[in-house]
């Protein structure tokens, strides 16, 4: 099964169950707002209900926060009637911090900093005496006081994973039956990624590794979903056990390029001799599915607030990004020097389908801006309208060039991008997809100005932990957008 339960850049999933409801969070890196929060009743259909970190007082992202730094690897838990969220901010002045909420849709508290907790991938677990254990990549553990953010002494090493595997990370600790289980990811988040487990009599161990480790990996296989790892366990509505995890869908020839980032998948878990055994990825669990409301393909920007799926870069101030300047339009006031600049004013959504189309009606009357497919500051393609011209631009590493141009008449026009997954490979170097940019003519036909190989906007080329985001930006002055459409073509 190749279908994610949450497609697009939604890595490092952490899930918790409260009665019939499931909540799930993912990493968000340099994007603002941070930590998308999803709800589900069936573990397959997930609806984004908010973002946990939506105030600048919660997110210490600045123009100095590089892409693929920022907010990493959350753990979400429900304890004592409250939701607890712990994250690492990989930014200047960041570190580990905890947030709490009674409603996972928000508002979430300001951060409780954990200045003595070092490392990434924090987990939270409570024992029967009410002690809170914070377990980190490595794997090492602190006892912490959530009221003050203080630790009780130094961290203790618990386990360093299976022999010879690098990067023991993403720990989650659970009390299940008579054992405490320590679930980790290993092998790095690339093709060698896997999930291993150990168990012990207490939250502090000693931990005995599972003889069948790794309990999940797709490395060295023909599985279309690769890099599987970074998992979290949860019980299904029928009491059976399940795992949410990250995986990628590489496309094209060799070495394979994945373009959507790391996505969230679901797999069943059974128990043999009190060890978890992971089944194949699936979207058909043995209970009735309960799809949530579908997100409309068009956003008309008629509301005061943007939908939770819209993301900006590092911050989103009303001064730069607003639906209030011109009713029914999204207005972006430029800052910085366009998409090459970490300060760019941008509003986009994750590309969630291997083939898709996005269009926007832009009024560039007082500025320069357009529609972009973004990976990071150094990897992006865009169609931009400025002073009587439409240009398609590509930035790949240090190279930036205008790929196509044509004159534009005054007034609003529709810019579009279509991503087509490569169904057949030309040769071993064939890319994963083609990204075509164009404009809609007054008669409604679409003219393609440039078709570009998508491999340059992939993790294997750009590096880092993120995936593609498609959105609107202002490069100079003020640019208005009447609507934005996103449609899957799979
Ligand atoms: C995260 C680590 C990982 O901290 O990638 O896949 C890192 N695993 O656990 C960033 O998402």
């Amino acid at each position: 099964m190749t279908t994610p339960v949450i497609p697009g850049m939604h890595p490092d999933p952490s899930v918790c169950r409260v009665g019939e409801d499931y909540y799930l969070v993912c990493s968000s890196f340099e994007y603002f707002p941070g930590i998308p929060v999803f709800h589900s009743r069936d573990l397959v259909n997930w609806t984004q209900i908010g973002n946990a970190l939506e105030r600048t007082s919660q997110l210490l992202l600045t123009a100095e926060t590089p892409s693929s730094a920022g907010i990493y690897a959350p753990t979400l838990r429900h304890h004592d009637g409250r939701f607890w969220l712990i994250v690492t901010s990989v930014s200047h002045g960041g570190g580990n911090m905890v947030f709490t909420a009674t409603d996972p849709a928000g508002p979430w508290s300001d951060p409780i900093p954990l200045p003595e907790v070092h490392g990434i991938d924090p987990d939270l677990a409570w024992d029967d005496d009410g002690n809170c254990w914070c377990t980190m990549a490595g794997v090492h553990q602190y006892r912490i006081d959530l009221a003050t953010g203080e630790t009780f002494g130094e961290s203790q090493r618990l386990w360093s994973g299976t022999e010879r595997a690098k990067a023991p990370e993403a720990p989650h600790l659970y009390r299940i039956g008579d054992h405490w289980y320590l679930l980790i990811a290993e092998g790095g988040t690339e093709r060698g990624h896997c999930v291993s487990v150990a168990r012990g009599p207490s939250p502090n161990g000693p931990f005995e590794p599972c003889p069948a480790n790794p309990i999940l990996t797709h490395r060295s296989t023909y599985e279309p979903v690769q890099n599987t790892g970074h998992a979290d366990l949860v019980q299904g509505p029928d009491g059976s056990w399940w795992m949410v995890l990250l995986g990628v869908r590489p496309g094209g020839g060799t070495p394979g390029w994945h373009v959507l980032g790391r996505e969230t998948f679901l797999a069943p878990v059974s128990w043999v001799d009190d060890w978890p055994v992971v089944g194949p990825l699936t979207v058909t669990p043995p209970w009735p599915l309960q799809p949530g409301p579908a997100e409309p393909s068009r956003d008309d920007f008629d509301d005061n607030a943007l939908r939770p799926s819209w993301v900006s870069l590092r911050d989103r101030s009303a001064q730069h990004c607003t639906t209030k300047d011109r009713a029914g339009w999204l207005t972006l006031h430029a800052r910085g020097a366009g998409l090459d600049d970490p300060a760019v004013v941008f509003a986009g959504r994750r590309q969630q389908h291997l083939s898709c189309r996005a269009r926007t009606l832009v009024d560039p009357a007082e500025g320069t801006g357009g529609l972009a497919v973004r990976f990071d500051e150094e990897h992006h393609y865009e169609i931009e309208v400025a002073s009587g011209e439409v240009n398609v631009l590509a930035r790949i590493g240090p190279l930036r060039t205008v790929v196509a141009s044509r004159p534009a008449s005054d007034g609003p026009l529709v810019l579009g991008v279509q991503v087509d997954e490569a169904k057949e490979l030309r040769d071993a170097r064939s890319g994963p997809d083609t990204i075509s940019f164009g404009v809609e003519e007054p008669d409604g036909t679409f003219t393609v100005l440039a078709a570009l190989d998508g491999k340059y906007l992939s993790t294997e080329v750009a590096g880092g932990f993120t995936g593609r985001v498609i959105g609107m930006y202002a490069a100079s002055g003020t640019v208005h957008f009447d609507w934005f459409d996103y449609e899957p073509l799979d």
Side-chain angles (χ1 to χ4, degrees):
M1 173 52 66
T2 61
T3 315
V5 290
I6 310 182
M9 179 187 43
H10 293 108
D12 310 327
S14 177
V15 64
C16 78
R17 177 183 178 178
V18 184
E20 295 183 340
D21 296 297
Y22 295 93
Y23 299 98
L24 185 150
V25 291
C26 300
S27 299
S28 51
F29 306 100
E30 72 268 29
Y31 288 94
F32 183 102
I35 306 286
V37 183
F38 294 87
H39 171 256
S40 175
R41 282 277 172 94
D42 61 12
L43 293 176
V44 173
N45 294 286
W46 292 93
T47 304
Q48 192 175 349
I49 55 170
N51 292 281
L53 311 187
E54 49 186 3
R55 305 186 298 277
T56 39
S57 59
Q58 295 170 304
L59 238 93
L60 303 165
L61 304 178
T62 68
E64 278 70 54
T65 305
S67 285
S68 279
I71 306 297
Y72 279 26
T75 294
L76 178 67
R77 295 292 181 253
H78 189 256
H79 175 77
D80 262 353
R82 300 187 72 78
F83 290 88
W84 298 89
L85 173 73
I86 185 164
V87 307
T88 311
S89 171
V90 183
S91 305
H92 181 68
N96 289 287
M97 51 195 79
V98 173
F99 303 83
T100 179
T102 49
D103 180 349
W108 285 81
S109 70
D110 276 343
I112 305 160
L114 304 171
E116 296 148 272
V117 172
H118 303 293
I120 60 165
D121 296 0
D123 176 72
L124 291 177
W126 290 263
D127 65 22
D128 287 344
D129 300 326
N131 297 315
C132 181
W133 301 98
C134 177
T135 309
M136 310 293 297
V139 176
H140 62 111
Q141 185 181 63
Y142 300 86
R143 193 182 139 211
I144 60 172
D145 179 345
L146 283 177
T148 61
E150 285 167 12
T151 60
F152 297 91
E154 296 291 300
S155 71
Q156 303 297 318
R157 184 159 291 276
L158 297 187
W159 188 32
S160 46
T162 57
E163 224 177 295
R164 297 181 60 209
K166 71 171 183 181
E169 60 190 12
H172 290 303
L173 190 62
Y174 316 86
R175 170 89 186 257
I176 301 173
D178 294 336
H179 302 285
W180 283 85
Y181 289 88
L182 177 58
L183 188 76
I184 66 165
E186 296 188 274
T189 196
E190 305 82 22
R191 295 293 189 269
H193 212 196
C194 62
V195 178
S196 295
V197 68
R199 71 184 180 200
S202 84
N204 327 113
F207 287 100
E208 161 206 4
C210 175
N213 280 333
I215 59 168
L216 170 72
T217 186
H218 284 183
R219 66 190 178 205
S220 311
T221 68
Y222 289 115
E223 290 289 344
V225 179
Q226 288 288 320
N227 304 23
T228 49
H230 203 122
D232 199 5
L233 294 173
V234 69
Q235 278 179 285
D238 61 358
S240 58
W241 283 87
W242 294 77
M243 174 182 273
V244 293
L245 62 134
L246 71 76
V248 307
R249 293 183 282 171
T254 296
W257 295 270
H258 76 275
V259 302
L260 302 188
R262 299 167 300 159
E263 309 177 272
T264 289
F265 292 84
L266 179 70
V269 174
S270 54
W271 296 86
V272 176
D273 299 332
D274 285 348
W275 289 111
V277 176
V278 187
L281 306 184
T282 185
V283 288
T284 51
W287 50 75
L289 295 182
Q290 300 185 48
E295 191 168 340
S297 57
R298 174 162 294 192
D299 195 329
D300 268 316
F301 305 122
D302 286 339
D303 298 333
N304 273 346
L306 288 179
R307 289 181 197 160
S309 53
W310 286 107
V311 286
S312 296
L313 285 158
R314 301 177 177 84
D315 73 355
R316 183 192 289 154
S317 73
Q319 201 192 332
H320 293 102
C321 175
T322 176
T323 52
K324 293 182 187 154
D325 276 12
R326 191 192 272 189
W329 293 66
L330 176 71
T331 299
L332 303 182
H333 298 281
R335 177 184 60 188
L339 289 158
D340 296 335
D341 191 325
V344 65
V345 176
F346 175 86
R349 49 155 298 145
R350 291 156 172 90
Q351 182 186 331
Q352 293 191 277
H353 303 84
L354 297 173
S355 296
C356 63
R357 177 166 43 212
R359 295 183 310 151
T360 183
L361 176 61
V362 53
D363 179 358
E366 306 144 65
T368 309
L371 178 64
V373 181
R374 175 186 195 270
F375 221 89
D376 58 29
E377 283 75 24
E378 288 157 13
H379 301 86
H380 48 86
Y381 298 158
E382 59 267 23
I383 181 160
E384 182 170 287
V385 51
S387 50
E389 266 199 339
V390 181
N391 293 311
V392 178
L393 301 123
R395 165 93 195 252
I396 302 169
L399 308 176
R400 176 153 179 72
T401 189
V402 177
V403 181
S405 288
R406 80 163 215 192
S409 49
D410 284 347
L413 83 166
V414 175
L415 303 177
V417 59
Q418 181 163 322
V419 183
D420 293 293
E421 180 192 4
K423 303 283 186 203
E424 281 171 27
L425 302 187
R426 194 186 59 246
D427 57 41
R429 304 156 304 143
S430 270
D433 56 7
T434 302
I435 306 180
S436 306
F437 289 92
V439 292
E440 200 172 274
E441 307 294 352
D443 66 2
T445 56
F446 193 73
T447 304
V448 173
L449 301 184
L452 305 171
D453 187 337
K455 72 156 72 97
Y456 304 105
L457 306 189
S458 70
T459 299
E460 284 75 6
V461 171
F465 296 121
T466 59
R468 287 191 196 152
V469 174
I470 301 182
M472 301 152 286
Y473 69 97
S476 71
T478 296
V479 186
H480 307 279
F481 300 86
D482 189 14
W483 48 259
F484 178 97
D485 275 350
Y486 173 91
E487 285 170 78
L489 298 176
D490 299 331

